[in-house]
Amino acid sequence: MSKIIALAGKGGVGKTTVASLVLRYLSKNGCSPVLAVDADPNSNLGETLGMEVVKTVGDIREDFMKDPQGVPSGMDKIVYLEMLMNQVLMERKEFDLLVMGRQEGQGCYCMVNNILNRFSEELEKNYKYLLVDNEAGMEHLSRRTSGKVDMLILVSDYALRGLRAVGRINEMLGSLKLTVSRVGLVVNRAPAVLGKAFLDEAEKIGVQILCTIPNDDILLEFDMERKSLLDLPDDSPAVIAVDGLMEKILRTIGEK
Ligand SMILES: Nc1ncnc2c1ncn2[C@@H]1O[C@H](COP(=O)(O)OP(=O)(O)OP(=O)(O)O)[C@@H](O)[C@H]1O
Ligand SMILES: [Mg+2]
């Protein structure tokens, strides 16, 4: 069964950045095949990986709902939807990327959602690792029938507000149809030493700090120039931090 690593946190704290660096680690350390799932409706994981996303699962759903009769004659609609899903899957050497895209609008989407969910759960079985970049509500993960996550990385910036968002997500976990084996906190854009107020708040929330990631000028430059974060040098500070984080995570989930 594939190991599932998921990320969540407040908007703009660096979830997608950390997801890209986790993917960079998995790609470079023989952990393939990996399926990266961009489950944030304002998706930009493809962008940070230097990939041009043309179509999302959400687009397929909308197109199908707009024109349910558009299924080629003689073709079963399940087969048709699966064919479209295969077109959305972006395949690379070390990993594949599936972008979920926008959430559904008005109307009854149950049938098409069921087909798409079933397809993605079947697809996931082909991978050693699944990496899911989520929005804060973690809708995508909680919809899965076999809801389990091996490691949930909660990302916060070095601010109490980011930390409180992490606290809310952590509290919400119990109400989700999801088994989360381990939860850890990553503090992004953190100073070398965390202040007492921040540490106290983190302790109150009760999520263990797995690592801190410093502000990284090289990363920022890559972001500005729209270069793939997969191509960051090994000695870039954020890469060093996430590589260390991954060594730790793989040890805890029994992969090392
Ligand atoms: N450690 C870091 N050093 C420098 N820049 C960073 C760092 N982490 C993130 N950034 C920058 O901060 C911005 C926001 O990061 P990112 O897109 O990863 O956040 P996010 O949590 O995924 O946001 P959203 O909620 O919008 O999806 C990006 O421009 C990114 O390049
Ligand atoms: Mg993001």
Side-chain angles (χ1 to χ4, degrees):
M1 194 120 100
S2 43
K3 292 281 179 188
I4 304 182
I5 302 174
L7 294 111
K10 193 173 88 65
V13 292
K15 298 176 294 291
T16 304
T17 301
V18 179
S20 306
L21 298 183
V22 168
L23 193 56
R24 182 189 182 283
Y25 175 92
L26 292 172
S27 300
K28 286 185 185 275
N29 289 276
C31 302
S32 302
V34 184
L35 177 65
V37 180
D38 187 345
D40 188 338
N42 302 307
S43 29
N44 60 349
L45 182 60
E47 217 171 280
T48 58
L49 301 174
M51 295 159 80
E52 198 194 340
V53 178
V54 181
K55 211 164 190 169
T56 69
V57 175
D59 295 333
I60 297 181
R61 189 173 45 221
E62 292 302 319
D63 289 351
F64 184 81
M65 290 301 286
K66 250 186 256 153
D67 182 19
Q69 310 311 324
V71 181
S73 64
M75 194 186 256
D76 180 79
K77 60 177 177 295
I78 299 181
V79 176
Y80 178 61
L81 278 167
E82 289 186 353
M83 186 190 80
L84 296 178
M85 278 285 274
N86 268 312
Q87 292 171 0
V88 169
L89 184 71
M90 299 174 75
E91 294 170 287
R92 292 292 181 271
K93 193 158 157 264
E94 277 90 11
F95 66 90
D96 294 345
L97 172 67
L98 191 65
V99 181
M100 301 310 292
R102 57 191 161 159
Q103 283 162 347
E104 60 262 46
Q106 303 282 311
C108 183
Y109 283 77
C110 303
M111 185 274 291
V112 59
N113 270 339
N114 285 341
I115 297 173
L116 296 178
N117 287 348
R118 209 163 47 225
F119 176 85
S120 56
E121 283 179 31
E122 273 308 308
L123 175 77
E124 289 164 9
K125 292 181 184 154
N126 303 323
Y127 299 89
K128 198 164 165 193
Y129 288 94
L130 205 71
L131 175 70
V132 191
D133 182 9
N134 289 279
E135 32 66 65
M138 303 212 295
E139 273 270 323
H140 172 70
L141 283 175
S142 56
R143 272 190 197 171
R144 296 154 45 94
T145 46
S146 56
K148 66 135 198 166
V149 170
D150 295 282
M151 179 79 220
L152 174 64
I153 305 174
L154 294 175
V155 185
S156 174
D157 50 0
Y158 185 56
L160 293 183
R161 253 195 273 173
L163 209 46
R164 287 182 187 136
V166 160
R168 283 193 296 276
I169 297 171
N170 191 41
E171 274 173 20
M172 182 188 73
L173 292 180
S175 64
L176 295 181
K177 227 178 61 200
L178 200 63
T179 313
V180 181
S181 309
R182 291 165 200 88
V183 186
L185 173 65
V186 167
V187 187
N188 189 26
R189 308 187 100 160
V193 181
L194 300 178
K196 186 171 180 311
F198 191 88
L199 287 171
D200 286 349
E201 187 72 21
E203 197 173 325
K204 234 192 270 169
I205 287 165
V207 181
Q208 188 203 348
I209 298 178
L210 292 176
C211 89
T212 61
I213 303 175
N215 197 56
D216 184 337
D217 289 338
I218 315 172
L219 190 152
L220 207 54
E221 199 182 294
F222 266 59
D223 186 68
M224 297 279 192
E225 292 175 8
R226 298 180 185 277
K227 287 203 251 180
S228 166
L229 297 190
L230 298 173
D231 297 330
L232 274 170
D234 289 341
D235 60 356
S236 122
V239 168
I240 293 174
V242 174
D243 284 357
L245 167 74
M246 285 311 293
E247 294 281 332
K248 202 180 210 173
I249 288 180
L250 295 191
R251 273 198 304 272
T252 19
I253 63 177
E255 294 287 288
K256 271 216 159 175

